[in-house]
Amino acid sequence: MKRTALLTLLFITAFGVAAAKKAKLPTRSEVLNAMELANDHFTKKYPDAGAPTFVKRSRPSNLWTRGVYFEGLVALTDIERAANAPKYNANNQYLYDWASFHKWVPRNGVKTRDADDYCCCQAYLAMYLNRQTTEIAPTRECMDNLLATEESVHDWTWIDAIQMGLPVLTKLSLVEQKEGDSNLPADSSTGAKGCGGAIKTSPHPIRSQTAATATGAAATDGYMRHSCVPCRTSSTCLDTTPTSANIGPTT
């Protein structure tokens, strides 16, 4: 009986894999059209990007639920910009209007340690990295306050914080690495700065402990040591310094 059941399961699995291989995947334009259709529904339902949300009660629109949506909108506008898509300008404007309405500040201010509050900083930093704003001070102050507080090591014990909070540290580390961190370790064999050398640990105990939680075995320096070789060596990937000629949404 067990053998028959196992053979049946294997047959079903093999049939499913074969069917999946034959399935026709959508084209890139079809995928983009579907994403834009879903986003159009959202922006038409909520035309004022900065207006409070209302689920049982009113909440500011830089709370985590909207923060997660705007993470997705950042990704969508990145694709639209690369594809020169017609809807890029409108969607990018919606993103910029939301962030500027909240003055690039986390919900409940820069002293919050709640990932529900600073999830929005993911989108803020993405816009900074895309040279759409110079407003980074509130996010940086919030993360400095978070990591300077010894009790913050307990703020990572719920799984949502990993998705909402740690990417903020990752993006901020990219900014630090380009703009303010000239102390990357030298490669032990070539003397070049990069991933090949020993990674220096930050002297800040809380910052190191938090970032090590995010990166596993990789030691850290600053907010979080990014270990991607291309990102450490490519000026394109980490060319993050905004310029006054390229601030704000493209019109």
Side-chain angles (χ1 to χ4, degrees):
M1 182 67 181
K2 290 182 178 180
R3 183 179 180 183
T4 301
L6 179 59
L7 289 174
T8 301
L9 179 61
L10 290 174
F11 173 78
I12 293 174
T13 302
F15 179 80
V17 170
K21 287 183 178 179
K22 291 182 179 180
K24 182 182 178 181
L25 295 176
T27 64
R28 293 169 65 92
S29 61
E30 288 173 337
V31 173
L32 178 57
N33 288 339
M35 291 190 294
E36 289 183 328
L37 179 64
N39 189 64
D40 287 348
H41 173 77
F42 184 93
T43 55
K44 287 176 182 177
K45 186 175 181 179
Y46 306 106
D48 184 349
T53 70
F54 192 90
V55 179
K56 297 183 179 179
R57 64 182 178 88
S58 180
R59 296 176 175 87
S61 61
N62 56 350
L63 80 168
W64 74 272
T65 50
R66 288 295 173 86
V68 171
Y69 160 72
F70 281 101
E71 291 171 41
L73 187 57
V74 164
L76 176 59
T77 54
D78 283 347
I79 294 170
E80 289 175 327
R81 181 172 59 251
N84 198 27
K87 292 186 177 181
Y88 165 72
N89 285 341
N91 288 332
N92 194 53
Q93 185 69 54
Y94 189 83
L95 172 63
Y96 187 88
D97 289 347
W98 165 77
S100 59
F101 175 86
H102 293 291
K103 304 184 185 303
W104 316 89
V105 174
R107 185 181 72 153
N108 293 323
V110 297
K111 293 186 178 180
T112 183
R113 286 169 33 205
D114 190 338
D116 282 356
D117 293 338
Y118 62 81
C119 176
C120 58
C121 294
Q122 291 191 48
Y124 298 163
L125 284 170
M127 297 180 73
Y128 182 87
L129 289 165
N130 284 336
R131 301 185 177 191
Q132 294 172 301
T133 181
T134 57
E135 297 291 342
I136 193 174
T139 294
R140 180 172 276 146
E141 185 177 356
C142 180
M143 291 300 98
D144 283 343
N145 287 335
L146 172 74
L147 299 179
T149 306
E150 188 169 353
E151 291 79 7
S152 68
V153 296
H154 302 296
D155 295 339
W156 306 96
T157 56
W158 53 300
I159 194 168
D160 290 18
I162 297 174
Q163 186 279 325
M164 294 188 293
L166 291 183
V168 178
L169 295 171
T170 302
K171 287 181 172 65
L172 197 53
S173 75
L174 296 179
V175 175
E176 269 206 345
Q177 201 168 21
K178 179 64 178 180
E179 298 179 359
D181 184 1
S182 60
N183 296 316
L184 290 179
D187 186 294
S188 57
S189 59
T190 65
K193 292 183 177 182
C195 296
I199 306 299
K200 184 177 65 176
T201 302
S202 167
H204 192 306
I206 304 302
R207 180 174 291 181
S208 299
Q209 184 174 353
T210 305
T213 301
T215 56
T220 61
D221 183 27
Y223 293 94
M224 187 184 303
R225 171 57 58 227
H226 187 66
S227 59
C228 168
V229 173
C231 284
R232 285 191 170 213
T233 59
S234 169
S235 60
T236 301
C237 180
L238 283 175
D239 188 12
T240 60
T241 307
T243 61
S244 58
N246 194 12
I247 301 298
T250 303
T251 57

